[in-house]
């Protein structure tokens, strides 16, 4: 009987040794929770101080929506509008200036804070065609051809600017024969631009 107990001792000692070996290989021997350290820090989505590079050019103060942390966040910009421009011309100049600002890569300080843009350079904007509502903005790229992020950036930037009526919506069309649509910038769009596209509805010469 004593001999049997002594013979079992090496097997008992082997159990913790096996657990050590398993742990050394990265295999969890038990279901005890393990502390993997603190979670990665989140991007701040805010600038610690004014970005001098974005304030260097004088012009009409505007705000554009950039991406940060998978959401839309406003940043201050300026667009140039000649003095004495007629209202219709002024509106087109503001709209094009906003597009150009959206397509401009974020500054070094903005990149460090986590900002980015999905709007590509080269998009132009024009006014309404016969039969369009008078506040229509027609893009050189059809809204349906934009990424959900870029469309959300453009809709939210335009809808709260002098380029639109300021009611949280904007009428957009493309270069083709398709009728324009009225797009809205909602809280859901601002929070989840990648998965929530701006709601839209058809318009007929409002």
């Amino acid at each position: 009987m004593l001999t049997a107990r002594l013979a079992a001792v090496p097997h008992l000692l082997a159990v913790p040794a096996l657990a050590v070996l398993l742990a050394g290989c990265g295999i969890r021997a038990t279901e005890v929770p393990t502390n993997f350290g603190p979670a990665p820090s989140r991007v701040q989505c805010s600038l610690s101080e004014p970005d001098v590079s974005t304030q260097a050019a004088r012009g009409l103060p505007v705000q554009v929506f950039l991406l940060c942390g998978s959401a839309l966040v406003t940043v201050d910009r300026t667009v140039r509008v000649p003095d004495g421009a007629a209202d219709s011309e002024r509106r087109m100049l503001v709209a094009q200036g906003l597009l150009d600002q959206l397509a401009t890569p974020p500054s070094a300080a903005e990149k460090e804070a986590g900002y980015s843009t999905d709007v590509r350079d080269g998009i132009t904007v024009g006014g309404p065609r016969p039969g369009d509502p008078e506040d229509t903005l027609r893009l050189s790229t059809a809204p349906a051809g934009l990424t959900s992020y870029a469309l959300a950036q453009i809709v939210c930037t335009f809808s709260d600017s002098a380029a639109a009526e300021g009611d949280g919506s904007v009428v957009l069309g493309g270069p083709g024969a398709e009728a324009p649509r009225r797009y809205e910038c909602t809280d859901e769009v601002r929070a989840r631009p990648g998965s929530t596209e701006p709601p839209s509805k058809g318009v007929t010469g409002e």
Side-chain angles (χ1 to χ4, degrees):
M1 192 70 169
L2 180 60
T3 302
R5 290 180 178 177
L6 291 175
V9 171
H11 296 289
L12 295 175
L13 294 176
V15 173
L18 178 60
V20 171
L21 289 174
L22 289 174
C25 295
I27 301 174
R28 295 176 59 188
T30 69
E31 293 299 321
V32 178
T34 305
N35 183 8
F36 290 97
S41 59
R42 297 181 179 179
V43 291
Q44 294 182 350
C45 297
S46 63
L47 298 172
S48 57
E49 56 187 35
D51 188 358
V52 178
S53 64
T54 62
Q55 300 178 357
R58 294 182 178 181
L60 178 68
V62 296
Q63 286 190 324
V64 299
F65 282 84
L66 297 184
L67 300 168
C68 193
S70 298
L72 294 181
V73 182
T74 55
V75 296
D76 295 327
R77 290 285 191 271
T78 58
V79 297
R80 293 185 177 276
V81 179
D83 293 336
D87 289 344
S88 58
E89 181 186 5
R90 178 184 178 87
R91 181 166 168 268
M92 290 299 106
L93 290 171
V94 170
Q96 187 62 59
L98 292 171
L99 275 178
D100 294 342
Q101 289 295 329
L102 286 172
T104 301
S107 67
E110 289 169 344
K111 287 181 180 178
E112 185 176 357
Y115 291 92
S116 65
T117 183
D118 215 44
V119 178
R120 298 296 172 251
D121 191 21
I123 301 177
T124 58
V125 61
R129 294 177 180 175
D132 289 348
E134 63 178 9
D135 58 343
T136 299
L137 297 173
R138 282 195 173 265
L139 306 177
S140 59
T141 298
L146 299 169
T147 66
S148 58
Y149 288 108
L151 180 59
Q153 284 184 260
I154 292 173
V155 167
C156 288
T157 297
F158 278 173
S159 66
D160 193 30
S161 74
E165 298 297 327
D167 61 353
S169 70
V170 61
V171 179
L172 295 179
E178 296 83 0
R181 299 182 65 82
R182 182 173 292 280
Y183 294 83
E184 294 184 44
C185 177
T186 63
D187 292 339
E188 291 77 12
V189 171
R190 288 190 290 267
R192 294 181 295 275
S195 57
T196 304
E197 290 196 355
S200 66
K201 62 181 180 180
V203 291
T204 54
E206 295 178 347

